[in-house]
Amino acid sequence: MTNIWLASKSPRRQQILREIFPNILCQGIEGVDEKPPLGEVDYQVLEICKKKAKAADDNPQISEYDLVVVCDTMLCDPDDQMLSIGKPKDEVEAAMMLFRLSGRRHQVWSATGIKKAGKWKYYCEYSIVEISPLSDEVLVELILSKSWQGKAGGYDLAGPMGNWAKIVDGSESTVLGIASQALVELQNTM
């Protein structure tokens, strides 16, 4: 049986990978600087993913695992492809993000690193999500649900936002935090 460490606290990533690896350890990495570097969003998300990989390499327990997986997810600002939208810090920031995305399409980028046989391989891809126009009442419901906490762009496609958002191009796993090609690679290790 493959011994795998998902170096993430994301419940959605855990749910996706537990279906493949029931014995997976899901434990985030502390102290990683997730401030995006300058550059396009694909570069930003990939560089943060690589920082997480380096932090995982510095953890002594890494040698106990056959596979190690690190991930990061960001949204592109719908008006400027060079600006990323990360996780909101509070309810006000979450409301501002959701208001900005309301009635619009945006890219969701996920980068995933997989360490196998001592070597990292990275995947970086995006999906396009369209959010229906959100009324003030819906915005309040989404904020009060707290489903925005810890989610890039302030929403969870597999949560309450699923009623208002749809993928128009790409894969659900990418939107939920694991690049789809990385997921195929992980499924092929079984």
Side-chain angles (χ1 to χ4, degrees):
M1 185 176 281
T2 304
N3 197 10
I4 182 170
W5 174 23
L6 170 62
S8 172
K9 295 178 188 174
S10 165
R12 295 295 177 219
R13 290 183 186 121
Q14 291 176 26
Q15 182 180 4
I16 292 168
L17 291 184
R18 274 199 202 284
E19 293 175 13
I20 305 168
F21 304 100
N23 65 327
I24 190 171
L25 169 70
C26 302
Q27 179 182 342
I29 303 170
E30 300 299 322
V32 177
D33 176 13
E34 294 191 42
K35 182 179 180 209
L38 293 177
E40 294 187 14
V41 176
D42 59 335
Y43 173 77
Q44 294 176 33
V45 74
L46 184 58
E47 287 303 303
I48 292 172
C49 186
K50 288 178 178 180
K51 287 180 185 180
K52 291 178 179 181
K54 181 173 179 347
D57 278 339
D58 292 341
N59 188 316
Q61 76 183 46
I62 195 169
S63 62
E64 301 170 23
Y65 295 92
D66 302 313
L67 295 173
V68 178
V69 179
V70 295
C71 307
D72 196 61
T73 301
M74 290 181 168
L75 278 63
C76 272
D77 183 296
D79 292 322
D80 186 345
Q81 298 294 307
M82 296 292 284
L83 294 177
S84 58
I85 300 175
K87 300 172 193 170
K89 296 176 186 80
D90 56 31
E91 292 168 334
V92 172
E93 195 171 38
M96 289 171 42
M97 287 179 181
L98 293 176
F99 181 77
R100 183 161 184 72
L101 297 172
S102 176
R104 305 180 77 187
R105 289 183 177 188
H106 60 278
Q107 293 177 341
V108 179
W109 282 90
S110 281
T112 304
I114 301 171
K115 186 170 189 176
K116 182 178 178 182
K119 294 186 179 177
W120 284 101
K121 184 172 181 181
Y122 296 96
Y123 303 84
C124 188
E125 60 192 52
Y126 71 92
S127 293
I128 298 174
V129 175
E130 181 176 85
I131 295 181
S132 300
L134 304 172
S135 67
D136 291 345
E137 293 79 17
V138 170
L139 279 170
V140 169
E141 282 178 35
L142 290 168
I143 297 304
L144 292 177
S145 76
K146 301 204 181 289
S147 63
W148 57 269
Q149 292 179 325
K151 306 292 188 302
Y155 73 89
D156 180 2
L157 184 71
M161 182 57 95
N163 295 322
W164 306 100
K166 67 178 180 178
I167 299 169
V168 294
D169 187 30
S171 74
E172 183 177 41
S173 69
T174 299
V175 177
L176 295 177
I178 299 176
S180 65
Q181 289 301 312
L183 189 57
V184 168
E185 177 73 23
L186 289 166
Q187 290 167 330
N188 289 338
T189 64
M190 291 303 295

